[in-house]
Amino acid sequence: SQQGEEDPQALSIQEGENATMNCSYKTSINNLQWYRQNSGRGLVHLILIRSNEREKHSGRLRVTLDTSKKSSSLLITASRAADTASYFCAAYGNNRLAFGKGNQVVVIP
Amino acid sequence: GAGVSQTPSNKVTEKGKYVELRCDPISGHTALYWYRQSLGQGPEFLIYFQGTGAADDSGLPNDRFFAVRPEGSVSTLKIQRTERGDSAVYLCASSLQGATYNEQFFGPGTRLTVL
């Protein structure tokens, strides 16, 4: 069953703006991972944050994790047209990644 | 080729037929996972291998689904008596030792269409 839930589901922004997506999960986790997917095919790993970490950065990406609220956020700064994709959070625990339904992000040039 | 590969990329079959989907993980990755993704949804876990053994097959929807990894590398997902509801993209992922602190790297998927 789906565990992660992203909010909002669809986001349309202008190039250069920041995009923020939130995710919640239901059970205890070892880590939480964010992925990008284009055209409904392969998932590209973006960033992993461990359960004992609160914030992590990678390039234009910033991820936060609040285990007390069972939530995470992904911030993409200075968005580009190439960032247009679906973004999924996936909570890792119990031998598996539990994905949310995904956020469709459209960056308008 | 350093990534996870999957074959075929597309498979069209008729209801009731048998299909096999293949996954070739990243060399040296001992953990291998199968997921299934329906349109508009996130991937759903099917099965996890650590080495040659299925460490967790609790995500397989029913006994028509089976997967093997006989030599601890390539894995095959087998679906018997396919149904239209099996139509989805089947994704394979591998990680170094199991994803406690390791990323899972995904292949491009096999799009299965059951007519």
Side-chain angles (χ1 to χ4, degrees):
Chain A
S1 62
Q2 296 284 344
Q3 177 174 216
E5 294 181 0
E6 288 93 349
D7 178 284
Q9 297 289 308
L11 185 63
S12 183
I13 58 174
Q14 295 288 331
E15 198 167 31
E17 293 181 339
N18 296 340
T20 300
M21 289 156 270
N22 298 305
C23 164
S24 62
Y25 57 92
K26 296 176 182 174
T27 62
S28 61
I29 61 170
N30 296 105
N31 64 65
L32 189 136
Q33 303 181 34
W34 284 89
Y35 288 84
R36 184 184 73 219
Q37 186 176 45
N38 292 88
S39 306
R41 295 306 289 265
L43 290 151
V44 174
H45 186 272
L46 295 177
I47 193 165
L48 178 153
I49 186 165
R50 301 180 183 186
S51 59
N52 61 353
E53 296 177 313
R54 292 297 168 259
E55 186 172 313
K56 199 162 184 180
H57 297 256
S58 176
R60 294 184 296 112
L61 304 178
R62 172 178 170 259
V63 168
T64 63
L65 179 65
D66 187 336
T67 53
S68 66
K69 295 181 180 177
K70 290 187 165 56
S71 67
S72 174
S73 69
L74 172 67
L75 168 68
I76 306 173
T77 60
S79 63
R80 305 167 181 169
D83 294 330
T84 294
S86 292
Y87 291 83
F88 292 88
C89 76
Y92 182 78
N94 195 27
N95 297 321
R96 69 197 66 189
L97 288 171
F99 286 83
K101 292 184 179 181
N103 274 280
Q104 176 62 47
V105 175
V106 175
V107 181
I108 303 166
Chain B
V4 178
S5 61
Q6 292 186 246
T7 55
S9 56
N10 287 283
K11 176 70 177 178
V12 180
T13 191
E14 294 180 342
K15 181 174 178 295
K17 299 290 188 181
Y18 168 82
V19 296
E20 288 189 353
L21 311 179
R22 176 188 167 109
C23 171
D24 205 334
I26 293 171
S27 178
H29 280 194
T30 58
L32 185 146
Y33 305 79
W34 284 97
Y35 294 84
R36 176 170 73 173
Q37 186 176 22
S38 300
L39 194 63
Q41 303 293 319
E44 289 188 298
F45 170 80
L46 296 176
I47 188 170
Y48 157 55
F49 286 90
Q50 184 60 258
T52 60
D56 186 344
D57 65 358
S58 60
L60 295 177
N62 51 60
D63 61 6
R64 295 186 297 106
F65 289 74
F66 189 71
V68 295
R69 195 186 185 200
E71 297 178 357
S73 178
V74 171
S75 176
T76 304
L77 178 66
K78 307 180 180 191
I79 310 174
Q80 298 177 323
R81 304 182 304 281
T82 52
E83 300 177 357
R84 292 193 181 88
D86 298 336
S87 296
V89 176
Y90 288 81
L91 295 163
C92 175
S94 70
S95 69
L96 200 53
Q97 289 179 338
T100 302
Y101 291 126
N102 290 311
E103 302 92 339
Q104 290 189 21
F105 295 91
F106 282 79
T110 293
R111 185 179 300 280
L112 175 66
T113 303
V114 181
L115 301 177

